[in-house]
Amino acid sequence: NYQILGQIQNDGTINVQENIDVHFFTQMHWIERMIPLTYTVQDTEFQVFVDNIDISGYNYKIMDDYYDTNIRIWDADKYVYWDKKYEINYSIYWLIRNFSGMWYSELYRNVVCYDRSNSIQNTQIELTLPKAYTWLTKDDFLITAWYSDKKSIDEFDWEVKRDENKIYITYNKKLDSYNWITLTVRFPNNYFEFDHERQEIEIGRASCRERV
């Protein structure tokens, strides 16, 4: 089971809590959570930044490269078996982009990534907005999965609810390994208050990563 709770801040930062229930059929030393640091929209690559990583109650190791932050939750001297619960907390910045040449700011993300060798039995996603916004239309709010070309909320078997400051997505069916769920939400350009000074700093961080 996989639950994602995202608290979206006014500057576009998202504080994320992931609750993962894992059933181990064989003895293993760890699980890995790989968080992509790049994504591509209309042939343009964007980079995001992940900070404040914390995993309660377990040893973990963080391995970074340009494309991913890989979190290994493990103990080399212990096996895990049967049922375990993991809580992963982190913040992610610049996942919401302000496209100044258009009318919107956009959240675009594989909220459930494809690089999994395991299936997921139940998926729940809850996004809390920084302030009330009730004007989302079906064109502003799109969801799709794996190789499907369907992009309308009404075309899927899952449940999608929205109120003035939250978005709820529930998928109570098996999501096979290497399949994903992609979410796009578009907001008006004046909805967020972006920190331009911080964005300049992050551009510098991105340049350093590219040089490395």
Side-chain angles (χ1 to χ4, degrees):
N1 300 317
Y2 190 27
Q3 181 187 47
I4 303 167
L5 306 175
Q7 294 275 345
I8 304 176
Q9 307 300 302
N10 202 41
D11 69 346
T13 300
I14 305 177
N15 297 326
V16 180
Q17 177 182 324
E18 299 184 2
N19 300 313
I20 307 174
D21 299 334
V22 183
H23 183 82
F24 293 93
F25 290 98
T26 59
Q27 290 184 335
M28 299 183 68
H29 285 288
W30 66 74
I31 67 167
E32 288 186 344
R33 169 69 175 100
M34 190 173 292
I35 304 174
L37 299 179
T38 63
Y39 67 98
T40 302
V41 178
Q42 296 179 352
D43 298 324
T44 300
E45 183 180 274
F46 297 97
Q47 187 166 24
V48 301
F49 298 92
V50 172
D51 295 293
N52 305 315
I53 297 172
D54 180 66
I55 291 88
S56 301
Y58 293 94
N59 296 327
Y60 61 94
K61 179 181 180 180
I62 300 171
M63 297 165 283
D64 278 324
D65 59 31
Y66 177 77
Y67 293 101
D68 301 285
T69 288
N70 189 9
I71 306 169
R72 177 176 291 181
I73 307 172
W74 75 321
D75 191 321
D77 299 320
K78 294 181 180 179
Y79 284 109
V80 287
Y81 195 53
W82 295 123
D83 296 326
K84 295 292 180 182
K85 294 181 179 292
Y86 299 94
E87 178 184 312
I88 303 174
N89 293 277
Y90 59 92
S91 61
I92 188 165
Y93 183 68
W94 240 6
L95 188 57
I96 298 174
R97 294 279 173 161
N98 182 22
F99 293 95
S100 57
M102 303 181 184
W103 63 267
Y104 60 83
S105 300
E106 183 178 64
L107 164 62
Y108 178 85
R109 187 66 164 175
N110 285 341
V111 286
V112 178
C113 292
Y114 57 84
D115 53 353
R116 295 174 292 100
S117 59
N118 60 292
S119 62
I120 299 174
Q121 298 302 316
N122 296 284
T123 305
Q124 292 182 326
I125 302 162
E126 179 182 309
L127 300 177
T128 301
L129 307 180
K131 53 190 174 184
Y133 183 64
T134 59
W135 297 277
L136 283 175
T137 70
K138 291 180 180 180
D139 292 330
D140 303 329
F141 186 98
L142 307 176
I143 186 167
T144 188
W146 48 103
Y147 292 104
S148 172
D149 59 355
K150 299 176 181 178
K151 297 183 181 297
S152 169
I153 296 171
D154 297 332
E155 292 180 293
F156 291 94
D157 295 329
W158 47 58
E159 180 180 36
V160 179
K161 294 183 178 179
R162 290 168 288 170
D163 59 31
E164 65 178 14
N165 68 337
K166 283 196 176 184
I167 298 169
Y168 308 89
I169 302 167
T170 303
Y171 188 66
N172 288 324
K173 295 187 178 183
K174 183 179 178 181
L175 187 66
D176 288 327
S177 56
Y178 308 110
N179 289 339
W180 62 90
I181 297 175
T182 301
L183 178 66
T184 301
V185 186
R186 290 178 178 175
F187 301 91
N189 266 336
N190 60 357
Y191 181 79
F192 293 99
E193 296 180 10
F194 293 104
D195 185 340
H196 298 293
E197 182 177 346
R198 181 180 180 184
Q199 289 181 356
E200 290 181 3
I201 293 172
E202 301 298 0
I203 290 173
R205 287 178 65 187
S207 298
C208 290
R209 295 176 75 103
E210 289 174 1
R211 286 197 295 271
V212 171

